[in-house]
Amino acid sequence: MQKKYRTKFPVARIKKIMQLDEDVGKVAQATPVLISKALELFMQALIDESVAQTRAAGGKRVHAGHMKQAILHHRPV
Amino acid sequence: MSSSDLAGGIDEDLSLPKATVTKLVNEMLPDDISCAKETRDLLIDCCVEFIHLVSSEANEVCEKDSRKTIGPEHVITALQRLGFEDYIAEVRDSWDEHKESQKEREKRGKRMEKTGMTDEEMARAQEEMFAQARLRMQQSSQPNQ
């Protein structure tokens, strides 16, 4: 089930992005691994909802506007 | 004069690598749908924002915990607090997997045993490889003579 996506985010890059925030200090070695997984799930959710907008518009290509609509229509729990 | 030459120089546009994101997006999209470049760039911005959001929340959790290092459990609490509790089970799985692979790495560092072969099997495999190499050498040197 883990082999769903073959591509992974580079963990070192994620750590660097985290530490762009000056408030963020030391980060444990495993921490970016968890962030990476959460990010993957977030990305999939955003893509799924954008694709729904693309299909609703009768399109085959996801445009920025579809993603905007997806975000505007998202109902937080 | 590129700032990336300087050690510790903060790159303004430190972001996720486009090639990696493009690959991942294509794996995530249905087969009949494609993605505009502009959408991908927007998605990257959203991803960077997500990283900042979660790490900032995790940092707060960490401070409340009076710790100096943001640990995995702080990330899990942060996801909970931000309303991403749906992600927690899978995130925990990948944490377990990571711990498992770290253990494997340690073992491998200590001994070669994890090949799943006994010493005799390894010796035999080595002998076979020598024999093959010898044969290859003989074959390649024959036409020359």
Side-chain angles (χ1 to χ4, degrees), chain A residues 5-18:
Chain A
Y5 313 122
R6 283 161 293 124
T7 313
K8 289 266 163 228
F9 292 115
V11 172
R13 184 67 66 93
I14 290 190
K15 187 174 169 180
K16 272 190 202 159
I17 294 172
M18 288 176 74

Side-chain angles (χ1 to χ4, degrees), chain B residues 99-131:
Chain B
K99 281 191 275 192
E100 218 34 62
S101 72
Q102 288 300 108
K103 256 190 247 161
E104 278 299 309
R105 198 180 285 189
E106 256 174 57
K107 270 192 218 158
R108 226 179 301 146
K110 281 181 194 145
R111 274 177 201 179
M112 281 272 293
E113 267 169 18
K114 277 292 141 187
T115 52
M117 290 165 101
T118 63
D119 285 357
E120 299 98 84
E121 279 175 328
M122 278 198 275
R124 211 181 307 137
Q126 189 184 35
E127 208 37 66
E128 246 164 62
M129 283 188 273
F130 281 151

Side-chain angles (χ1 to χ4, degrees), chain A residues 2 5-9 13 17 23 26 28-29 31 34 37 40 42 44 46 55 60-64, chain B residues 15 20 24-25 27-28 32-34 36 39 43 52 59 69-72 75 87 90-91 94 97 102:
Chain A
Q2 226 284 317
Y5 313 122
R6 283 161 293 124
T7 313
K8 289 266 163 228
F9 292 115
R13 184 67 66 93
I17 294 172
D23 292 333
K26 278 198 233 167
Q29 191 220 24
T31 299
L34 278 83
K37 186 68 196 181
E40 209 177 279
F42 172 74
Q44 180 69 71
L46 192 49
R55 287 206 199 278
K60 288 281 172 207
R61 195 169 177 82
V62 184
H63 293 289
Chain B
S15 185
T20 310
L24 201 51
V25 168
E27 284 172 41
M28 288 175 170
D32 62 324
I33 301 281
S34 65
T39 314
L43 186 66
H52 287 315
N59 188 45
T69 307
I70 303 177
V75 175
Y87 298 178
E90 275 192 70
V91 166
S94 73
E97 245 169 68
Q102 288 300 108

Side-chain angles (χ1 to χ4, degrees), chain B residues 8-52:
Chain B
I10 292 168
D11 239 315
E12 269 299 314
D13 44 49
L14 181 54
S15 185
L16 292 167
K18 285 189 181 182
T20 310
V21 175
T22 306
K23 251 173 99 185
L24 201 51
V25 168
N26 288 330
E27 284 172 41
M28 288 175 170
L29 281 172
D31 290 337
D32 62 324
I33 301 281
S34 65
C35 180
K37 264 213 174 85
E38 191 197 9
T39 314
R40 181 206 56 195
D41 292 345
L42 191 62
L43 186 66
I44 292 177
D45 290 344
C46 294
C47 286
V48 171
E49 194 53 42
F50 180 83
I51 296 173
H52 287 315

